[in-house]
Amino acid sequence: MSTMIDIRRLQTVNELAREGATTVADNLSQLTGVDTEMQITKINVLDVEDLVEHLGTQKQVGVNVPLTEQPHGSVLVLFDDASARRVASTMMGGIEGDGGGYSDMERSAIREVGNIMTSGFIDGWANVLGRTIDISTPNLFRASGSDIVAHCVDPGEHEIAMVFDATLHAPDADVEAKIYSFPDIEEFVTMINDI
């Protein structure tokens, strides 16, 4: 099976990102009651072998959600610590953590926002692709690059990572995040080319 995307279909990847971002913002606005916008500022495709270097050694907070239907794989949302704390504070009505380790409430809030972001992003994809894409239970972790890759990428199963740089805009709480998709490349290419 070919893993080449028809060059005319690259616009579809942009459409997936736009629709996903819109769905995420709508879902967060409904949940929090705070008008939220999400902007995808850049899309990159990386070879999974380069992912550890790309992620670096700084610990980040991530929520990884496996996809149980095509294009399979998983979607990962990563926040630096400052953004993760802003997410938690916003979800907890402005309550600030003590600055030490993450409390149970903060972890729950971050997991919930990560779940909303990944499920909203995937729902946006499903809308563009005209299908459903079910997801599994979100996993929350704090890790550096090599541990993130070990946790989220199945060796030999995923060849690429699509990276979506995103900014969530809300009054008094802009948050930077990166959304990584690790699809089964053959399934993903077939889905895109079939549109």
Side-chain angles (χ1 to χ4, degrees):
M1 171 174 276
S2 174
T3 57
M4 299 173 83
I5 293 179
D6 181 334
I7 191 77
R8 295 167 292 193
R9 298 290 183 198
L10 290 179
Q11 179 179 349
T12 303
V13 176
N14 284 332
E15 189 178 342
L16 291 173
R18 277 193 309 274
E19 184 68 25
T22 299
T23 305
V24 168
D26 291 346
N27 291 352
L28 284 171
S29 294
Q30 288 175 5
L31 176 73
T32 63
V34 175
D35 189 29
T36 306
E37 293 179 11
M38 183 173 172
Q39 180 181 23
I40 302 293
T41 56
K42 184 167 56 169
I43 302 171
N44 284 318
V45 177
L46 296 175
D47 190 311
V48 166
E49 293 176 5
D50 299 329
L51 198 52
V52 171
E53 183 178 332
H54 171 79
L55 292 170
T57 57
Q58 186 77 24
K59 286 193 174 185
Q60 299 176 68
V61 178
V63 178
N64 187 53
V65 178
L67 307 179
T68 59
E69 292 184 307
Q70 288 185 342
H72 291 98
S74 66
V75 175
L76 166 69
V77 176
L78 283 179
F79 304 101
D80 62 25
D81 276 318
S83 287
R85 292 207 185 273
R86 274 194 299 280
V87 163
S89 175
T90 300
M91 287 294 289
M92 296 183 335
I95 298 171
E96 298 284 334
D98 63 10
Y102 290 92
S103 70
D104 287 344
M105 283 183 61
E106 287 174 310
R107 286 193 300 274
S108 178
I110 295 164
R111 183 182 297 110
E112 182 61 23
V113 169
N115 187 35
I116 291 167
M117 288 180 70
T118 54
S119 62
F121 206 68
I122 292 303
D123 284 349
W125 284 24
N127 292 341
V128 171
L129 297 169
R131 61 183 309 130
T132 61
I133 304 173
D134 286 335
I135 61 175
S136 188
T137 306
N139 302 303
L140 176 71
F141 57 87
R142 184 171 181 269
S144 62
S146 60
D147 291 334
I148 292 168
V149 171
H151 182 77
C152 299
V153 179
D154 294 327
E157 293 289 316
H158 303 111
E159 300 172 29
I160 65 162
M162 292 189 302
V163 184
F164 302 88
D165 290 355
T167 303
L168 286 169
H169 300 285
D172 304 323
D174 283 355
V175 172
E176 299 292 325
K178 287 190 184 289
I179 302 172
Y180 293 80
S181 174
F182 307 105
D184 175 297
I185 188 65
E186 290 181 359
E187 291 179 356
F188 182 75
V189 168
T190 299
M191 291 170 71
I192 295 297
N193 285 337
D194 284 349
I195 293 179

